[in-house]
Amino acid sequence: MKHGYISNDVDIAAAYAGQLDGENAYTRKEQVRLRWKLDLRLVPLLWFNVTLGAMDKVTTSTAALYGMKKDCNLTGDRYSWVGSAFYFGYLFWCLPSGSLLQRFPIAKLMFVAQLLWGVILIGTGFANNFATLIALRVLLGVLEAPIVPGNFLVLGMWYTRREQPLRTGLMYTGLSVCFTGPIGYGIGFIAGDHAWRSMFWITGAMTIVWAVIIGVFLPDNPVNTTFINERQKAILVERLRADQTGVENKTFKREQMIEALLDPKTWLMFLFNIWISIPNGGLTNFAPLIIKGLGYTSQRSVLLTMPTGIMQTASSYMCNGGVFLCAKYLPKYQLRGAWVAFGIIVGLISSVFLYTLPLHNYNGRLAALYMSYFYLGPYIVALGINTANTAGHTKKVTTNALIFISYCVSNIIAPQFFKAEQAPLYPLGMGAILGSYVLSLITIAAYCGYCKWENTRRDRVDLAKDARVHADTDFKDLTDKQNPHFRYVF
């Protein structure tokens, strides 16, 4: 199949649009077979991309149980700053990484970033002071900045908006502790006072191996890939047509960036991600220390962190699975925001118990701590809503960068609520988690209200709202604001 020159003003998938009309129309069986092919190839790769990043965030809290604080002279609130330092790097590189994701092949960029990431992790195992540790954590933040936004760009290229929530839920789990827990437990058997260094050496080596796998098996986009044939590419493009979000365009468009900065949805989602990420920033750095403060040994504390990952995974599967089932069986209703609210309320109730239960109520505090990890489900559903509601490739990249800037700001702030002198109860930190859930609930309600109002306004003026094909807008790399046929999900 030959394809002519494609203008920079249109999406790269435009050459495949409209090829399957009439006698060339594809069957449901072909569509199902293609979707399974994509799932078996892409979902495991995207899942471990996210899991690897989550493992990296937990390495310092595990290392802290085995002597890192003493070896690196992490007195006072220095450990809190080690937790925050990673996100300074992430914050600094969010916008530049968004530009790189648009200019370069996504998979190749991820390969290079993860290769260097593994090297830095191994180097962290040789750190001997606070300054070195801070510098290395900042570099790690820089290198992780393109990974999760890149994952969401990949999802948007290959899956319809209806299919994305389930794949997002499969991609985001809390199962990183199923790796760090056994590794951390095993490290407890290493003789000597510097066992914590092995945590970084092992996870660094794993990251380098994974970088090679990503470089070989993750495709850059649907058009240039070789693991699906030409007809399957055309089927994929036709599946995405109704979403009006496009696939990819390598031309930076300044007007789309400006639109992203002026869009109320962008800033509502920005605020939501600040609030909902407060529990993540606090608990990932301090949960093992909180558990140890209940009277457990370092090794036992590492094992007792593992249910937190199970709770995160349950939250992810419940909220994203709920969105998927509602989209399938109740397509006339907009219920994504309702599932976000459900997850927030569960976390809110748990944080009330965590804030109020006395220290001697070991089992109650441990259960409340586990349930406080329910933030992951609402966080993931909201990321999926943001992806589904943004069209125009430059606008997607810009919005993703801003969302992850808010994620960084939140994770920089959160550890500062956990004061060393307040251990092991950390009342200020628990209060911050409680407040963040309340603010999250208010903000997502405002976001959904705005989307509903905008859809109603568009329904009144769009005469072709029920059509599937829109020749005036399909694969023209228009933004959601520029495209009158675009409808928001909430």
Side-chain angles (χ1 to χ4, degrees), residues 11 17-18 46 60 74 92 135 169 209 279 286 326 331-332 356 381 386 397 406 413 445 450 457 466 469 473:
D11 194 277
L46 299 180
T60 51
L74 302 183
F92 169 74
V209 172
F286 285 90
C326 286
K332 294 183 180 180
T356 57
V381 174
N386 179 66
V397 170
S406 68
I413 295 169
Y450 177 80
R457 184 190 68 79
D466 296 322
V469 176
T473 60

Side-chain angles (χ1 to χ4, degrees), residues 49-284:
N49 266 357
V50 174
T51 299
L52 205 59
M55 283 173 57
D56 175 49
K57 295 178 185 67
V58 180
T59 50
T60 51
S61 59
T62 304
L65 296 173
Y66 290 113
M68 183 184 75
K69 294 173 76 171
K70 179 182 176 182
D71 284 358
C72 295
N73 194 28
L74 302 183
T75 57
D77 290 332
R78 284 186 168 185
Y79 176 69
S80 295
W81 284 109
V82 169
S84 297
F86 174 93
Y87 296 98
F88 279 109
Y90 204 127
L91 177 63
F92 169 74
W93 204 246
C94 266
L95 284 173
S97 69
S99 178
L100 292 174
L101 283 167
Q102 182 164 22
R103 293 175 182 273
F104 296 101
I106 291 177
K108 306 303 182 292
L109 185 64
M110 286 185 177
F111 161 70
V112 173
Q114 289 179 332
L115 194 65
L116 295 174
W117 173 0
V119 171
I120 296 296
L121 265 180
I122 291 172
T124 306
F126 294 96
N128 289 304
N129 56 65
F130 175 64
T132 303
L133 207 53
I134 288 289
L136 290 169
R137 296 303 292 176
V138 169
L139 284 173
L140 279 173
V142 168
L143 292 168
E144 191 177 331
I147 304 302
V148 175
N151 268 17
F152 277 96
L153 287 175
V154 171
L155 269 184
M157 288 180 191
W158 294 87
Y159 292 102
T160 67
R161 292 201 293 179
R162 181 175 169 179
E163 294 166 346
Q164 287 171 21
L166 183 62
R167 276 78 190 171
T168 304
L170 293 172
M171 182 175 82
Y172 262 99
T173 66
L175 297 179
S176 60
V177 292
C178 294
F179 296 94
T180 56
I183 293 171
Y185 182 75
I187 285 171
F189 293 103
I190 297 176
D193 298 328
H194 311 292
W196 65 271
R197 300 182 187 278
S198 300
M199 188 72 192
F200 293 101
W201 295 336
I202 293 169
T203 54
M206 289 174 63
T207 304
I208 290 173
V209 172
W210 183 251
V212 175
I213 293 173
I214 285 295
V216 173
F217 292 105
L218 183 66
D220 291 309
N221 61 56
V223 173
N224 297 330
T225 188
T226 57
F227 90 97
I228 59 175
N229 61 39
E230 294 295 301
R231 179 170 175 81
Q232 289 174 326
K233 291 177 184 179
I235 293 172
L236 189 145
V237 168
E238 285 301 313
R239 281 166 17 95
L240 298 175
R241 180 190 287 273
D243 288 347
Q244 297 283 305
T245 54
V247 175
E248 185 181 44
N249 186 294
K250 289 298 184 184
T251 304
F252 177 80
K253 298 181 179 179
R254 184 170 176 270
E255 68 277 10
Q256 290 194 11
M257 182 189 73
I258 293 172
E259 181 183 306
L261 296 175
L262 297 177
D263 192 337
K265 298 196 320 306
T266 302
W267 298 108
L268 285 170
M269 196 57 78
F270 182 91
L271 288 173
F272 176 82
N273 275 274
I274 286 183
W275 314 139
I276 200 65
S277 297
I278 291 286
N280 178 74
L283 295 175
T284 53

Side-chain angles (χ1 to χ4, degrees), residues 463-485:
L463 299 178
K465 62 181 180 181
D466 296 322
R468 181 177 179 275
V469 176
H470 301 95
D472 57 329
T473 60
D474 289 353
F475 301 108
K476 298 290 172 54
D477 194 39
L478 298 178
T479 68
D480 50 282
K481 289 280 188 183
Q482 294 169 337
N483 186 347
H485 311 305

